[in-house]
Amino acid sequence: MESGSPSGSPSAGNPHTIAQLVGTLIALLTLTMPLFVIARYSASNTNLFPPSGYPATPIRSVR
C-alpha cells in the first residue's frame, strides 16, 4: 500500500455527509424561522406610516 493512498474503500463515501446535511438544515432554520414567527405574530393592521401633523403638499419643479 502506498503512503498517499486512502486506507478505506473508495465506495465508503464521506463520513461527514450527514453532519453537513444536519448543519445545513440548522442554518436554514436559523435564517428562516424568525421571518415566519415575525410574520405570524405581527399585527396585521399596523400602519407603517402614521399620519403626520401637517398636510402633505406636492413637490413642484423649480424652473
Side-chain angles (χ1 to χ4, degrees):
M1 185 157 120
E2 294 179 16
S3 62
S5 66
S7 60
S9 64
S11 63
N14 188 356
H16 300 292
T17 304
I18 294 175
Q20 289 175 347
L21 180 63
V22 171
T24 302
L25 289 174
I26 291 172
L28 288 175
L29 285 174
T30 301
L31 293 173
T32 57
M33 284 305 293
L35 298 176
F36 288 124
V37 171
I38 289 170
R40 170 69 175 96
Y41 292 107
S42 66
S44 61
N45 59 357
T46 303
N47 189 4
L48 296 178
F49 301 104
S52 61
Y54 54 91
T57 57
I59 298 174
R60 298 182 201 151
S61 61
V62 178
R63 293 184 187 207

mmCIF file with all atom_site columns, all heavy atoms in Angstrom, residues 15-27:
data_model
loop_
_atom_site.group_PDB
_atom_site.id
_atom_site.type_symbol
_atom_site.label_atom_id
_atom_site.label_alt_id
_atom_site.label_comp_id
_atom_site.label_asym_id
_atom_site.label_entity_id
_atom_site.label_seq_id
_atom_site.pdbx_PDB_ins_code
_atom_site.Cartn_x
_atom_site.Cartn_y
_atom_site.Cartn_z
_atom_site.occupancy
_atom_site.B_iso_or_equiv
_atom_site.pdbx_formal_charge
_atom_site.auth_seq_id
_atom_site.auth_comp_id
_atom_site.auth_asym_id
_atom_site.auth_atom_id
_atom_site.pdbx_PDB_model_num
ATOM 1  N N   . PRO A 1 15 ? -17.694 10.381 5.519  1.00 0.00 ? 15 PRO A N   1
ATOM 2  C CA  . PRO A 1 15 ? -18.397 10.152 6.790  1.00 0.00 ? 15 PRO A CA  1
ATOM 3  C C   . PRO A 1 15 ? -19.028 11.415 7.366  1.00 0.00 ? 15 PRO A C   1
ATOM 4  O O   . PRO A 1 15 ? -19.865 11.356 8.247  1.00 0.00 ? 15 PRO A O   1
ATOM 5  C CB  . PRO A 1 15 ? -17.302 9.625  7.713  1.00 0.00 ? 15 PRO A CB  1
ATOM 6  C CG  . PRO A 1 15 ? -16.039 10.149 7.136  1.00 0.00 ? 15 PRO A CG  1
ATOM 7  C CD  . PRO A 1 15 ? -16.263 10.217 5.651  1.00 0.00 ? 15 PRO A CD  1
ATOM 8  N N   . HIS A 1 16 ? -18.669 12.569 6.839  1.00 0.00 ? 16 HIS A N   1
ATOM 9  C CA  . HIS A 1 16 ? -19.209 13.826 7.365  1.00 0.00 ? 16 HIS A CA  1
ATOM 10 C C   . HIS A 1 16 ? -20.425 14.315 6.581  1.00 0.00 ? 16 HIS A C   1
ATOM 11 O O   . HIS A 1 16 ? -20.898 15.419 6.814  1.00 0.00 ? 16 HIS A O   1
ATOM 12 C CB  . HIS A 1 16 ? -18.123 14.905 7.343  1.00 0.00 ? 16 HIS A CB  1
ATOM 13 C CG  . HIS A 1 16 ? -16.927 14.546 8.159  1.00 0.00 ? 16 HIS A CG  1
ATOM 14 N ND1 . HIS A 1 16 ? -16.966 14.458 9.532  1.00 0.00 ? 16 HIS A ND1 1
ATOM 15 C CD2 . HIS A 1 16 ? -15.660 14.235 7.796  1.00 0.00 ? 16 HIS A CD2 1
ATOM 16 C CE1 . HIS A 1 16 ? -15.774 14.116 9.976  1.00 0.00 ? 16 HIS A CE1 1
ATOM 17 N NE2 . HIS A 1 16 ? -14.959 13.971 8.943  1.00 0.00 ? 16 HIS A NE2 1
ATOM 18 N N   . THR A 1 17 ? -20.934 13.493 5.669  1.00 0.00 ? 17 THR A N   1
ATOM 19 C CA  . THR A 1 17 ? -22.060 13.913 4.839  1.00 0.00 ? 17 THR A CA  1
ATOM 20 C C   . THR A 1 17 ? -23.297 14.178 5.679  1.00 0.00 ? 17 THR A C   1
ATOM 21 O O   . THR A 1 17 ? -23.992 15.175 5.471  1.00 0.00 ? 17 THR A O   1
ATOM 22 C CB  . THR A 1 17 ? -22.369 12.846 3.780  1.00 0.00 ? 17 THR A CB  1
ATOM 23 O OG1 . THR A 1 17 ? -21.190 12.605 3.017  1.00 0.00 ? 17 THR A OG1 1
ATOM 24 C CG2 . THR A 1 17 ? -23.476 13.298 2.863  1.00 0.00 ? 17 THR A CG2 1
ATOM 25 N N   . ILE A 1 18 ? -23.585 13.324 6.626  1.00 0.00 ? 18 ILE A N   1
ATOM 26 C CA  . ILE A 1 18 ? -24.764 13.511 7.484  1.00 0.00 ? 18 ILE A CA  1
ATOM 27 C C   . ILE A 1 18 ? -24.595 14.748 8.352  1.00 0.00 ? 18 ILE A C   1
ATOM 28 O O   . ILE A 1 18 ? -25.528 15.531 8.524  1.00 0.00 ? 18 ILE A O   1
ATOM 29 C CB  . ILE A 1 18 ? -25.010 12.256 8.342  1.00 0.00 ? 18 ILE A CB  1
ATOM 30 C CG1 . ILE A 1 18 ? -25.382 11.078 7.436  1.00 0.00 ? 18 ILE A CG1 1
ATOM 31 C CG2 . ILE A 1 18 ? -26.107 12.505 9.362  1.00 0.00 ? 18 ILE A CG2 1
ATOM 32 C CD1 . ILE A 1 18 ? -25.526 9.771  8.158  1.00 0.00 ? 18 ILE A CD1 1
ATOM 33 N N   . ALA A 1 19 ? -23.401 14.961 8.861  1.00 0.00 ? 19 ALA A N   1
ATOM 34 C CA  . ALA A 1 19 ? -23.149 16.147 9.679  1.00 0.00 ? 19 ALA A CA  1
ATOM 35 C C   . ALA A 1 19 ? -23.303 17.423 8.852  1.00 0.00 ? 19 ALA A C   1
ATOM 36 O O   . ALA A 1 19 ? -23.838 18.423 9.338  1.00 0.00 ? 19 ALA A O   1
ATOM 37 C CB  . ALA A 1 19 ? -21.756 16.078 10.289 1.00 0.00 ? 19 ALA A CB  1
ATOM 38 N N   . GLN A 1 20 ? -22.858 17.404 7.625  1.00 0.00 ? 20 GLN A N   1
ATOM 39 C CA  . GLN A 1 20 ? -23.012 18.574 6.751  1.00 0.00 ? 20 GLN A CA  1
ATOM 40 C C   . GLN A 1 20 ? -24.485 18.827 6.442  1.00 0.00 ? 20 GLN A C   1
ATOM 41 O O   . GLN A 1 20 ? -24.935 19.974 6.420  1.00 0.00 ? 20 GLN A O   1
ATOM 42 C CB  . GLN A 1 20 ? -22.232 18.377 5.456  1.00 0.00 ? 20 GLN A CB  1
ATOM 43 C CG  . GLN A 1 20 ? -20.739 18.439 5.642  1.00 0.00 ? 20 GLN A CG  1
ATOM 44 C CD  . GLN A 1 20 ? -19.985 18.127 4.355  1.00 0.00 ? 20 GLN A CD  1
ATOM 45 O OE1 . GLN A 1 20 ? -20.557 17.636 3.382  1.00 0.00 ? 20 GLN A OE1 1
ATOM 46 N NE2 . GLN A 1 20 ? -18.690 18.406 4.360  1.00 0.00 ? 20 GLN A NE2 1
ATOM 47 N N   . LEU A 1 21 ? -25.248 17.765 6.236  1.00 0.00 ? 21 LEU A N   1
ATOM 48 C CA  . LEU A 1 21 ? -26.674 17.897 5.958  1.00 0.00 ? 21 LEU A CA  1
ATOM 49 C C   . LEU A 1 21 ? -27.410 18.466 7.172  1.00 0.00 ? 21 LEU A C   1
ATOM 50 O O   . LEU A 1 21 ? -28.228 19.391 7.042  1.00 0.00 ? 21 LEU A O   1
ATOM 51 C CB  . LEU A 1 21 ? -27.262 16.543 5.567  1.00 0.00 ? 21 LEU A CB  1
ATOM 52 C CG  . LEU A 1 21 ? -28.740 16.524 5.245  1.00 0.00 ? 21 LEU A CG  1
ATOM 53 C CD1 . LEU A 1 21 ? -29.021 17.384 4.028  1.00 0.00 ? 21 LEU A CD1 1
ATOM 54 C CD2 . LEU A 1 21 ? -29.208 15.111 5.022  1.00 0.00 ? 21 LEU A CD2 1
ATOM 55 N N   . VAL A 1 22 ? -27.102 17.963 8.347  1.00 0.00 ? 22 VAL A N   1
ATOM 56 C CA  . VAL A 1 22 ? -27.732 18.466 9.566  1.00 0.00 ? 22 VAL A CA  1
ATOM 57 C C   . VAL A 1 22 ? -27.340 19.922 9.806  1.00 0.00 ? 22 VAL A C   1
ATOM 58 O O   . VAL A 1 22 ? -28.175 20.756 10.165 1.00 0.00 ? 22 VAL A O   1
ATOM 59 C CB  . VAL A 1 22 ? -27.353 17.583 10.780 1.00 0.00 ? 22 VAL A CB  1
ATOM 60 C CG1 . VAL A 1 22 ? -27.805 18.202 12.087 1.00 0.00 ? 22 VAL A CG1 1
ATOM 61 C CG2 . VAL A 1 22 ? -27.955 16.195 10.623 1.00 0.00 ? 22 VAL A CG2 1
ATOM 62 N N   . GLY A 1 23 ? -26.098 20.265 9.581  1.00 0.00 ? 23 GLY A N   1
ATOM 63 C CA  . GLY A 1 23 ? -25.648 21.648 9.742  1.00 0.00 ? 23 GLY A CA  1
ATOM 64 C C   . GLY A 1 23 ? -26.335 22.585 8.774  1.00 0.00 ? 23 GLY A C   1
ATOM 65 O O   . GLY A 1 23 ? -26.715 23.704 9.134  1.00 0.00 ? 23 GLY A O   1
ATOM 66 N N   . THR A 1 24 ? -26.535 22.133 7.544  1.00 0.00 ? 24 THR A N   1
ATOM 67 C CA  . THR A 1 24 ? -27.238 22.947 6.556  1.00 0.00 ? 24 THR A CA  1
ATOM 68 C C   . THR A 1 24 ? -28.688 23.160 6.964  1.00 0.00 ? 24 THR A C   1
ATOM 69 O O   . THR A 1 24 ? -29.217 24.271 6.853  1.00 0.00 ? 24 THR A O   1
ATOM 70 C CB  . THR A 1 24 ? -27.167 22.282 5.170  1.00 0.00 ? 24 THR A CB  1
ATOM 71 O OG1 . THR A 1 24 ? -25.794 22.120 4.811  1.00 0.00 ? 24 THR A OG1 1
ATOM 72 C CG2 . THR A 1 24 ? -27.875 23.104 4.129  1.00 0.00 ? 24 THR A CG2 1
ATOM 73 N N   . LEU A 1 25 ? -29.347 22.112 7.440  1.00 0.00 ? 25 LEU A N   1
ATOM 74 C CA  . LEU A 1 25 ? -30.732 22.244 7.888  1.00 0.00 ? 25 LEU A CA  1
ATOM 75 C C   . LEU A 1 25 ? -30.855 23.198 9.074  1.00 0.00 ? 25 LEU A C   1
ATOM 76 O O   . LEU A 1 25 ? -31.772 24.023 9.122  1.00 0.00 ? 25 LEU A O   1
ATOM 77 C CB  . LEU A 1 25 ? -31.298 20.869 8.256  1.00 0.00 ? 25 LEU A CB  1
ATOM 78 C CG  . LEU A 1 25 ? -31.563 19.939 7.085  1.00 0.00 ? 25 LEU A CG  1
ATOM 79 C CD1 . LEU A 1 25 ? -31.977 18.564 7.583  1.00 0.00 ? 25 LEU A CD1 1
ATOM 80 C CD2 . LEU A 1 25 ? -32.604 20.513 6.166  1.00 0.00 ? 25 LEU A CD2 1
ATOM 81 N N   . ILE A 1 26 ? -29.932 23.110 10.011 1.00 0.00 ? 26 ILE A N   1
ATOM 82 C CA  . ILE A 1 26 ? -29.951 24.021 11.161 1.00 0.00 ? 26 ILE A CA  1
ATOM 83 C C   . ILE A 1 26 ? -29.739 25.458 10.709 1.00 0.00 ? 26 ILE A C   1
ATOM 84 O O   . ILE A 1 26 ? -30.404 26.377 11.179 1.00 0.00 ? 26 ILE A O   1
ATOM 85 C CB  . ILE A 1 26 ? -28.896 23.590 12.202 1.00 0.00 ? 26 ILE A CB  1
ATOM 86 C CG1 . ILE A 1 26 ? -29.319 22.283 12.853 1.00 0.00 ? 26 ILE A CG1 1
ATOM 87 C CG2 . ILE A 1 26 ? -28.679 24.677 13.256 1.00 0.00 ? 26 ILE A CG2 1
ATOM 88 C CD1 . ILE A 1 26 ? -28.268 21.670 13.748 1.00 0.00 ? 26 ILE A CD1 1
ATOM 89 N N   . ALA A 1 27 ? -28.824 25.671 9.775  1.00 0.00 ? 27 ALA A N   1
ATOM 90 C CA  . ALA A 1 27 ? -28.571 27.022 9.272  1.00 0.00 ? 27 ALA A CA  1
ATOM 91 C C   . ALA A 1 27 ? -29.800 27.586 8.564  1.00 0.00 ? 27 ALA A C   1
ATOM 92 O O   . ALA A 1 27 ? -30.165 28.747 8.766  1.00 0.00 ? 27 ALA A O   1
ATOM 93 C CB  . ALA A 1 27 ? -27.370 27.008 8.327  1.00 0.00 ? 27 ALA A CB  1
#
